[in-house]
Amino acid sequence: MIHHRGAEGTEKNDKTLGELMILQSEYPIGDEQAAQYQRDGHILLDLVLPAEHIPPFRDAIAQTVRERNKETRALRDRDTYGRAFLQTTNLWEYNDTVKEYVMAKRFAGIAARLMGVPRVRLYHDQALFKEAGGGITPWHQDQHYWPLATNRTITMWMTLANIQADMGTLRFASGSHVEGYLGDIPISDESEAQLRAFVARKGFTLAQAEAMSAGAATFHSGWTLHSAPPNVSDRMRPAMTVIYFADGARVSELDNKNRIVDRDHWLPGTEPGDLAASPLNPVLG
């Protein structure tokens, strides 16, 4: 994976101003990085949010997860999906600091440049906190869930702490995005078996970061097959994701039950063929 360093932070004597400024600043993406993303369907970038600017956003995200996530069952009492992570969505609606993070022009600009589009809209955000002892994230395609009639979709997956592979860094099947939609295969034991076999049969190269520093992020296509190993450490793996799609995309057919649910949650008031736009989907850059 190619790593790319971003802009340095502003003066530390005005942290609030500095943090707001970094979110509005440009993270330069070169032609080589854009070409790598288009070829592989994923890329790892360092310093997407420089470490000195992370604490207020990490704390606000963690606080909102504590307030909004209702999972109280022990890991042993959950199914494979439930053991994979604590999933909390659209945090930006509940916390102004998280909203500043999710709406950041810096992140949206990376997404637009990698996909080769002039502007992107927000689909939704979600915190994915993999608990100590948490299980695998089965192989899957994100866009199985998304009622978006476009290949121009992308997820930013940022770690809010320094993490190692044994905590559950993402594993990608490089080039798998060109396969497009592989069918109604939601995250499950079945998706793990079926798509793991597909990856092996196709001979895709697997890519996984051995370590990621806080503020580093992967960006991957909605069609890119990916998974994550269990968190065998004694620490939480705190990851925050923001999902974007190209401005101008349309709502797709609602051809599986998860796309119906997603349409109702993230594209309210729309029908297949409509412009994918609602008050929850602002243009970000």
Side-chain angles (χ1 to χ4, degrees), residues 86 135 152 246:
L86 295 174
R152 298 292 189 260

Side-chain angles (χ1 to χ4, degrees), residues 23 56-58 60-61 92 94-102:
L23 293 180
F57 302 111
R58 179 195 60 217
I61 290 165
W92 72 264
Y94 306 101
N95 184 290
D96 287 343
T97 300
V98 179
K99 182 176 181 179
E100 291 167 353
Y101 174 98
V102 171

Side-chain angles (χ1 to χ4, degrees), residues 103-238:
M103 302 296 173
K105 291 186 181 299
R106 182 177 177 87
F107 307 154
I110 296 171
R113 177 72 173 113
L114 291 175
M115 292 196 293
V117 301
R119 291 172 305 280
V120 296
R121 286 183 180 268
L122 174 67
Y123 186 47
H124 66 82
D125 71 62
Q126 54 184 8
L128 299 174
F129 282 25
K130 189 182 285 286
E131 299 151 283
I136 66 166
T137 304
W139 283 101
H140 65 283
Q141 292 180 303
D142 290 342
Q143 203 164 334
H144 158 81
Y145 292 89
W146 305 342
L148 295 168
T150 178
N151 292 328
R152 298 292 189 260
T153 63
I154 192 168
T155 296
M156 180 187 79
W157 189 101
M158 180 183 289
T159 177
L160 303 175
N162 297 336
I163 62 172
Q164 305 292 323
D166 66 0
M167 296 176 71
T169 59
L170 295 189
R171 179 186 297 125
F172 300 101
S174 296
S176 59
H177 61 303
V178 302
E179 300 290 331
Y181 184 43
L182 295 176
D184 187 4
I185 313 173
I187 297 174
S188 61
D189 293 330
E190 290 74 22
S191 77
E192 170 68 11
Q194 185 174 343
L195 295 177
R196 182 179 60 206
F198 179 82
V199 167
R201 186 166 68 251
K202 286 285 188 175
F204 293 118
T205 298
L206 302 184
Q208 181 181 6
E210 288 301 317
M212 292 176 68
S213 298
T218 57
F219 288 76
H220 64 271
S221 164
W223 296 130
T224 301
L225 287 165
H226 59 289
S227 64
N231 181 359
V232 299
S233 79
D234 59 0
R235 294 179 293 140
M236 180 80 78
R237 182 213 70 185

Side-chain angles (χ1 to χ4, degrees), residues 26-45:
E26 180 183 0
Y27 183 109
I29 295 291
D31 291 345
E32 185 178 1
Q33 284 76 38
Q36 180 195 345
Y37 173 80
Q38 293 290 332
R39 181 189 71 235
D40 294 342
H42 63 89
I43 191 170
L44 169 63
L45 302 173

